[in-house]
Amino acid sequence: MTSWERSRFIPWTRLNEVSVPEYEHAKEQVYRSLNRDAIKEKESVSLNGTTDTKNRTNTFDAKVQTGVKTSSRNSVEYSTPDLVRSLAFGASIGSITGAVFGFMDGMRSAGESKILKNASNMAKGKFLMQGTTRAGATFGLFFSGFHGLKYGIRVAADPGVIWEMVGAGVLSLGALTIKPAMRVNIPYAGMLIGMDAFSYYMRVT
C-alpha cells in the first residue's frame, strides 16, 4: 500500500498531525497509531462478547438449575412405606366407620323385618354380625382405595389436597356404581369422603 493510499484512511480530525515538513514520517506514525487503536478496539469487542456470552450462559444455567430445584422441591417422590401407610389408614378408618354403619343398618332392618322379630336372639345376633362384618370390609376396602388413589394423584401430579380428594372421590365412587348391589353404599361412602375433607379443613384452620 502506497503512502497516498494510506492517507485516504486517515480521519480528518488527525490531518493536522501530518501537516508538517516530514509528512511521510508523520503519516506513517498516524497510520500505525490508527492500526493499534483498531486492534485494541477489536480485542476489546471480542473480550466483551466472550464475557457477555459467558454471563448469558451462566445465567441460563442458573435458571435451569433453579427450575430443576424448584421442580424437585414441588414434586412428591414415590415411597412404598407412605403408600402402605395411606392404605392402612384408609382401611382402618373405613372398616371402623363401615362397621358402625353396618350395625346401624342391621338394627333398623331387624326392627322392620317381621321374620327377624320372631327370630331367636342368636339369629338376630348372627344377622347383625354378618351385616357389620360385610359393611366393615366393604368400606375398609373402599376407603383404603380412596387414600391409595389420593396418594397416586399426589405422586403423579401433586395438584393440591382438594384436587386429590376430588379425583380420588370421583374414581372411588365410580367404582361403586359398577355393581348395582354396591350402589346402596354410595351415600355412606360420600359421608366418609366428606369426613375426610372436614378433617383436613379442621387441620388447616
Side-chain angles (χ1 to χ4, degrees), residues 55-70:
N55 289 337
R56 285 195 296 269
T57 303
N58 292 336
T59 302
F60 177 76
D61 291 342
K63 288 181 178 178
V64 170
Q65 291 175 0
T66 303
V68 170
K69 289 179 181 178
T70 303

Side-chain angles (χ1 to χ4, degrees), residues 106-114 116-117:
M107 291 291 291
R108 188 190 60 195
S109 298
E112 294 175 353
S113 175
K114 296 180 179 180
L116 290 175
K117 284 182 179 179

Side-chain angles (χ1 to χ4, degrees), residues 5 15 28 36 40 46 52 61 71 73 81 87 108 115 117-118 126 139 150 159 175 178 180 192:
E5 291 173 338
L15 282 178
E28 188 69 22
R36 286 194 297 270
K40 287 180 180 179
S46 176
D52 291 342
D61 291 342
S71 177
R73 188 166 55 249
L87 295 174
R108 188 190 60 195
I115 298 175
K117 284 182 179 179
N118 298 325
K126 186 177 180 180
F139 285 101
K150 272 180 59 178
I178 296 175
L192 269 175

Side-chain angles (χ1 to χ4, degrees), residues 7 10 31 36 38 44 49 64 75 80-81 85 96 98 110-111 126 145 153 163 166 171 179:
S7 67
I10 298 175
Y31 182 75
R36 286 194 297 270
S44 176
V64 170
S75 63
T80 301
R85 278 195 292 269
I96 293 171
K126 186 177 180 180
I153 294 172
W163 289 110
V166 171
L171 293 174
K179 290 186 176 182

Side-chain angles (χ1 to χ4, degrees), residues 6-20 23 26-27 30 34:
R6 291 178 181 177
S7 67
R8 295 170 61 189
F9 296 92
I10 298 175
W12 289 98
T13 55
R14 303 192 64 172
L15 282 178
N16 60 339
E17 297 180 25
V18 298
S19 300
V20 295
Y23 62 92
K27 194 173 4 180
V30 171
L34 289 172

